[in-house]
Amino acid sequence: MKKILVTGGAGFIGSHLVPKLIENRFEVFVLDNLSSGSKKNLPDNTKLFVTDINSSNVSSIFERERFDAVVHLAGQTMVNVSVERPVFDAEENVVGSINLLETARKTGVKRFIFASSAATYGDVDESLLPLPETLPTAPMSCYGLSKATVERYIRLYHDMYGLEYAILRFANVYGERQGDGGEGGVISVFVRQTVGNKDITIYGDGEQTRDFIYAGDVADAIVAALTAPEANDIYNVSTQTETCINELPAILSDLAGKKINVTYAPERAGDIRRSILSNVNAGKKLGWQPKTPLKDGLKKLYDYSISRFKTAFDTK
Ligand code: UDP
């Protein structure tokens, strides 16, 4: 496994993954339409194809380059967009992925790594937490359904053509460069508000929980999925630790050395109460474990955001 194509490599997770792959001496290529990603996220001289995963250019690129593996991160990432524009979501996330799979198997790609999501599980009975990968999927959004559908295609391509795969179901990922062009998750929203001296808004009572995983650890999981002798399975990429939203302002307040004002607003429609994913399978079969405690990951993100904020201020 030497020559790797990362779709969506100029995005948030790609910005953590691509340097790591280069460090590990893979030959890295990025395919990105730059709709939300940015060239600035990539190390200088990264080989970049600016095109959509749905484009007819994809097959000529694959035929010419003959990649050993594909890490498929590209896609539309907003749950609300998927519900408002399900056709667009399916074109990007389902049809685009099938186009890659089809091209991959025709051009001798050996392994296909897919960025899936906890959204494939839906709202599962709390007695089943931390959720194992063996649960039946029951998505509650078009986004979750798109991801679950692509998972099925990937397993079918494994059965039909022997394409090796790893399906990685990410928990709530956070880290530097998240959501620069969009909303991002709650951590990136709170950090931005803290750095900008704004109040934080918590939806609902704040006792809802999420499993927050640092993007650098996600990148490590992808490298582990590429290098494991045999991957073929579904893996949660999570900390298996539950954090409630009310804990975040206190950690940020410590980091920022200032008091943070919190206001409470009505619960967000469709919000899941508790989310925590088992990471036992990834530990066992990929030898991967998360390394970054929430406080350390938040510090990295906070320091990065402060330096960005200062740069923006200085250049005004
Ligand atoms: N949340 C919040 N304030 C915000 C943004 C999000 O209280 O400014 C809450 C949100 O209602 C949810 C949790 O934080 O309960 C995680 O939200 P996010 O959108 O990051 O992830 P998801 O709900 O998709 O897991």
Side-chain angles (χ1 to χ4, degrees), residues 9-58:
F12 158 50
I13 293 175
S15 75
H16 291 262
L17 174 66
V18 170
K20 219 159 247 185
L21 290 174
I22 294 171
E23 239 169 70
N24 281 277
R25 299 187 171 276
F26 289 102
E27 193 184 348
V28 185
F29 296 75
V30 168
L31 189 151
D32 201 303
N33 64 7
L34 300 182
S35 65
S36 58
S38 164
K39 268 188 198 176
K40 282 186 279 179
N41 284 339
L42 294 170
D44 291 344
N45 304 324
T46 308
K47 291 158 208 148
L48 169 68
F49 303 107
V50 181
T51 184
D52 202 88
I53 53 172
N54 275 311
S55 157
S56 55
N57 295 334
V58 167

Side-chain angles (χ1 to χ4, degrees), residues 7 12 14 39 63 76 87 109 113 117 162 212 214 217 220 250 278 280 282:
T7 73
F12 158 50
K39 268 188 198 176
E63 266 157 33
Q76 93 76 21
V87 175
V109 169
I113 315 282
S117 162
F212 292 109
Y214 179 62
D217 288 343
D220 286 341
S278 162
V280 172

Side-chain angles (χ1 to χ4, degrees), residues 126-137:
E126 289 184 8
S127 66
L128 297 166
L129 299 170
L131 305 182
E133 296 85 347
T134 45
L135 285 173
T137 53

Side-chain angles (χ1 to χ4, degrees), residues 172 185-186 189-190 201-203 208 210 245 268 271:
N172 286 62
V186 62
V189 173
F190 283 5
T201 305
I202 291 183
Y203 302 127
Q208 67 270 38
R210 293 294 183 271
I245 304 306
R268 227 168 43 176
D271 234 11

Side-chain angles (χ1 to χ4, degrees), residues 1-2 18 43 54 58 67 92-94 102 108 112 140 145 176-177 181-182 189 211 228 257 299 306:
M1 228 66 78
K2 170 116 189 56
V18 170
N54 275 311
V58 167
F67 305 111
E92 293 290 305
N93 288 2
V94 182
E102 194 50 10
F112 195 92
M140 295 196 313
L145 180 57
E176 304 93 307
R177 297 170 292 279
V189 173
D211 184 333
K299 178 162 173 40
I306 283 283

Side-chain angles (χ1 to χ4, degrees), residues 206 242-252 294:
E242 219 173 352
T243 303
C244 72
I245 304 306
N246 279 332
E247 290 175 54
L248 298 174
I251 305 176
L252 280 171
L294 182 60

